[in-house]
Amino acid sequence: MELTTLLQQLINGLSIGSVYAIFALGYTLIFSILGIINFAHGAVFTLGAYFTYALTGARFGFNGIFAEAQLPFGLPFLLALFVGAGLAGLVGVLVERALFRPLRARGADPLLTLVSSLGIAVALVNTIQYFVGAEVYSFPSSVLQGLPPSVNFGTPEAPLVVRTVQLVIGVISLVILVVLTWFINRTKTGRALRAVAEDSTTSSLLGINTDRLILLTFFISGFVGGIAGTLVGLSVTITGPYFGIAFGLKGLAVIVLGGLGNIPGAVLGGIVIGIAENLLPSSAVAYKDAIAFAILFVVLLIRPQGLLGRTQVQKV
Amino acid sequence: MDQFIATYGFLMINMLLQAVLALSLYLPLMAGQLSLAAPGFFAIGGYVAAVLSTQKFLAVPGTSYGEPLNAFTLWLAGIFPFTPPGAAYPIGLVLVEMGIGGLLCGILAVVIGLPALRLRGIYLALATIAFVEILRVLALNLPITGGAIGIFGIPQPFPQDATKFSYAIITVPFLALAAWFVYRLERSRVGRAFIALREDELAATAMGIDPTYHKVLAFVMGAVLAGMCGALSAHVLNTWNARQGTFDASILILAYVIIGGSRVWLGPIVGGLFLTALPEVLRQVAGIDGLPVWLSSFLSDGRLIIYGLLIAFGVLFFPQGVVTPERLERKAKSPSPRAAEEAVT
């Protein structure tokens, strides 16, 4: 591989990898606090993309209840991105209130919680299909107002061209990563979150309102999931209601690679998988989707605690 | 009646097959292993049958009654002489394919199971999800699986004009045997060892139960059953591609077991039968005259929403599924040992 191609693929990998990272953070935050994997995260990711799509004032297709529907206004893309993600976050909160909290109250097995979140994922995905059909939607190119389609970082003789979309999603996800890391490590609420993750009983004895923090966690998780959904939708297309499910599975590979429940691990895992997928030789590109799962399988067999995770001693 | 069978024959066969798949997921769960690998083995079994029946056993792929390829396949077909007259393919070979598919899946399950079953709970579930996804990508890309198109024209062991319901003569005994096997297993030494491992692995190990051996054994049993079911399904569906055996299928099969009942052999069967029929039942309910338009359109187009909600909230209200050992025993009017146990503790 030539150096420029390599650099190009590295930048692309870094860009999609940071999207993986923020998406995986949504999983890992909930896992670190509740010790469960929320399979509805992939569906919330999809919802985020559809919300943003609607908010930019774009028109829906001719299937479903909202056939040909269109909002009477259109928000600028960046605003729509955050409002859409906020709505996705609210869906996350709703899922927690309707499902996870009652399950916790009954002391349900983590396995049952997992199955339950799968059920919600199926319901959410099909609700989307019920309302807006199963068409492929792509964001109109006008959302990136006036930006050129690609940027050349090299010289005219040795071009190093990167799609603007890749840069935009890379920059947005890096900003979110930085803000979120700051929030978790430096603010009082973030410290309380980490305390709950460490030991929820003790922290509630110390006066932390755990239920409210869990709600907040679900909101943040849905929010970053929604952002990731929109960014992936922008980069490729929204390939129908099921588009988040496959992505959600890839997110699992990311969090296991980094170490379940480990926040820096999720970031590292996302970037490693993003780059690994992009460095694949073109002859093997058909197997691109298998990379993340091959990594997941191997990591589970060799180092189940992940790259940055701690070994857990099995207690009686 | 003929009309009914013509309309719902395929659905009924599918219900039976899904019940077998539910049992194949229940087997590892009996030993406390949440494995979502069943669709992967199901897919492999299907490909084995599809490749064998269209390329190896018959000289002319997919045509009505091609000549068996060689003396060996002729001999194989001869073991099971009950081929319906006018059928394009001997039933005996379908059974042989099921055997080969099950055997291959069993061997593969030993290879995968030995390292993977060191993982517990959610980690094993994730590893098996990865396994299913890797298989799916391979199926989409390998030449032998026919790529994205898959393999079609899988020969039918019944006359041209027969409905899919003809498969009942294979499927009903298959489910019955599988159910009987699991029923007997629960009462055998090995089955009790599985259940002991599920309830408390440490205590079971202290009692001298080898955890690795029993976990791998349960995993292999599930894989063999799923592989055989796949081989049969390939014939029922007539075509096989990478859409068989995906993560969606994992969820569905898991739902059969969880909703039906995850602690006794009858649970997965009830779950598989009922949940497979449910979308069709909802569609029929939607067709009742006099329902408001919005409701009937929701019942028919939104049936998967109902399905998802049923799984999500069913778990909340029936954490052990609809069929539990206690309810079964109360039916049998004998005092429940489990309930007595719980009263003591």
Side-chain angles (χ1 to χ4, degrees):
Chain A
M1 203 182 282
E2 276 182 54
L3 185 65
T4 48
T5 331
L6 181 73
L7 275 175
Q8 206 172 356
Q9 295 304 339
L10 270 179
I11 294 173
N12 284 340
L14 198 66
S15 150
I16 192 71
S18 42
V19 180
Y20 288 160
I22 60 168
F23 177 71
L25 270 179
Y27 269 129
T28 227
L29 277 174
I30 291 181
F31 187 87
S32 68
I33 288 192
L34 297 180
I36 52 169
I37 289 184
N38 174 18
F39 271 91
H41 195 49
V44 170
F45 164 96
T46 318
L47 272 176
Y50 277 87
F51 282 142
T52 310
Y53 181 80
L55 285 168
T56 54
R59 181 187 290 274
F60 283 113
F62 44 82
N63 277 318
I65 303 281
F66 289 165
E68 307 283 354
Q70 192 177 14
L71 286 179
F73 57 90
L75 298 178
F77 176 72
L78 215 54
L79 189 58
L81 170 70
F82 284 101
V83 177
L87 289 174
L90 289 181
V91 173
V93 168
L94 195 72
V95 170
E96 144 71 6
R97 285 304 293 268
L99 212 64
F100 287 104
R101 187 180 288 183
L103 280 167
R104 263 202 315 284
R106 284 158 203 242
D109 194 67
L111 162 64
L112 289 183
T113 316
L114 181 146
V115 175
S116 187
S117 70
L118 282 171
I120 277 294
V122 172
L124 283 178
V125 162
N126 285 287
T127 309
I128 297 174
Q129 178 156 353
Y130 188 62
F131 281 108
V132 299
E135 285 99 333
V136 172
Y137 293 111
S138 48
F139 285 96
S141 54
S142 61
V143 294
L144 291 178
Q145 291 138 354
L147 291 176
S150 61
V151 182
N152 186 357
F153 287 98
T155 54
E157 299 87 57
L160 174 57
V161 184
V162 177
R163 279 171 69 213
T164 314
V165 174
Q166 298 293 341
L167 293 176
V168 169
I169 68 175
V171 169
I172 293 178
S173 10
L174 284 177
V175 168
I176 287 178
L177 274 183
V178 170
V179 171
L180 209 57
T181 315
W182 170 80
F183 171 77
I184 290 168
N185 289 319
R186 291 276 179 272
T187 62
K188 199 174 167 191
T189 321
R191 212 168 294 140
L193 266 179
R194 281 184 294 144
V196 176
E198 195 68 41
D199 186 334
S200 66
T201 321
T202 312
S203 45
S204 76
L205 287 176
L206 290 173
I208 296 173
N209 186 343
T210 40
D211 269 342
R212 224 177 58 206
L213 277 176
I214 291 173
L215 271 188
L216 177 70
T217 310
F218 270 87
F219 180 78
I220 296 174
S221 163
F223 184 84
V224 292
I227 296 258
T230 306
L231 293 182
V232 174
L234 181 67
S235 162
V236 265
T237 46
I238 306 175
T239 54
Y242 280 90
F243 129 96
I245 299 293
F247 200 85
L249 292 179
K250 230 178 242 182
L252 294 177
V254 171
I255 53 172
V256 171
L257 176 61
L260 268 182
N262 187 306
I263 291 166
V267 177
L268 181 67
I271 289 170
V272 168
I273 288 187
I275 289 177
E277 282 186 349
N278 275 283
L279 289 185
L280 209 62
S282 54
S283 57
V285 88
Y287 293 97
K288 184 175 172 180
D289 283 337
I291 292 282
F293 298 108
I295 292 178
L296 171 59
F297 200 70
V298 171
V299 169
L300 280 173
L301 296 192
I302 297 175
R303 197 180 155 82
Q305 72 272 32
L307 291 177
L308 301 184
R310 285 173 293 178
T311 335
Q312 284 190 348
V313 182
Q314 181 73 25
K315 288 180 219 150
V316 180
Chain B
M1 193 63 196
D2 283 354
Q3 181 60 39
F4 184 78
I5 283 177
T7 317
Y8 295 113
F10 179 68
L11 178 70
M12 285 190 275
I13 297 299
N14 199 25
M15 284 163 67
L16 299 169
L17 290 171
Q18 298 298 316
V20 175
L21 273 179
L23 279 177
S24 83
L25 193 141
Y26 171 70
L27 279 165
L29 204 60
M30 250 177 99
Q33 306 300 304
L34 173 61
S35 153
L36 297 176
F41 292 117
F42 176 73
I44 293 176
Y47 277 117
V48 167
V51 170
L52 287 179
S53 65
T54 58
Q55 290 162 28
K56 295 282 180 278
F57 284 171
L58 290 182
V60 191
T63 57
S64 57
Y65 230 168
E67 292 298 311
L69 195 62
N70 53 32
F72 176 63
T73 51
L74 198 64
W75 175 77
L76 281 178
I79 304 177
F80 306 97
F82 42 90
T83 300
Y89 195 73
I91 284 183
L93 284 185
V94 176
L95 299 182
V96 170
E97 286 161 18
M98 287 169 69
I100 296 174
L103 189 71
L104 271 179
C105 288
I107 294 168
L108 186 62
V110 175
V111 176
I112 293 175
L114 277 175
L117 291 169
R118 291 183 304 144
L119 302 167
R120 285 157 194 274
I122 186 73
Y123 288 93
L124 178 65
L126 292 178
T128 51
I129 289 175
F131 166 71
V132 171
E133 284 297 306
I134 292 170
L135 279 181
R136 188 180 61 85
V137 176
L138 287 180
L140 272 175
N141 290 297
L142 292 178
I144 192 168
T145 54
I149 304 160
I151 299 170
F152 46 88
I154 298 171
Q156 301 293 304
F158 300 104
Q160 286 263 305
D161 53 347
T163 64
K164 292 284 182 195
F165 190 69
S166 319
Y167 275 99
I169 65 163
I170 313 176
T171 324
V172 172
F174 182 41
L175 174 62
L177 278 174
W180 180 78
F181 175 76
V182 178
Y183 171 81
R184 290 304 306 158
L185 184 69
E186 281 179 352
R187 277 145 192 84
S188 73
R189 186 188 169 84
V190 172
R192 287 184 199 278
F194 287 177
I195 293 168
L197 279 172
R198 178 185 71 196
E199 298 297 330
D200 190 333
E201 185 171 335
L202 202 75
T205 315
M207 298 297 290
I209 294 171
D210 180 352
T212 313
Y213 170 78
H214 285 99
K215 283 183 192 173
V216 174
L217 185 63
F219 187 68
V220 169
M221 284 177 177
V224 170
L225 200 54
M228 292 172 74
C229 188
L232 179 54
S233 299
H235 282 278
V236 174
L237 290 179
N238 201 9
T239 167
W240 203 253
N241 53 43
R243 277 192 300 279
Q244 317 299 332
T246 57
F247 175 64
D248 294 355
S250 305
I251 304 177
L252 282 184
I253 301 169
L254 184 60
Y256 303 152
V257 180
I258 299 294
I259 303 281
S262 52
R263 283 173 53 229
V264 67
W265 64 278
L266 192 59
I269 299 179
V270 169
L273 294 175
F274 173 72
L275 287 182
T276 311
L278 183 69
E280 187 57 33
V281 171
L282 288 176
R283 212 172 65 86
Q284 290 300 316
V285 172
I288 295 173
D289 290 330
L291 281 184
V293 177
W294 63 267
L295 185 61
S296 76
S297 94
F298 179 71
L299 282 176
S300 60
D301 296 335
R303 56 185 187 273
L304 283 167
I305 304 177
I306 300 175
Y307 203 100
L309 291 176
L310 197 72
I311 296 171
F313 290 98
V315 166
L316 200 55
F317 297 113
F318 294 100
Q320 305 202 329
V322 179
V323 184
T324 62
E326 291 78 15
R327 285 196 192 117
L328 266 187
E329 279 165 24
R330 207 179 306 149
K331 274 266 166 64
K333 292 219 168 157
S334 63
S336 150
R338 255 179 227 279
E341 228 171 70
E342 277 162 14
V344 172
T345 48

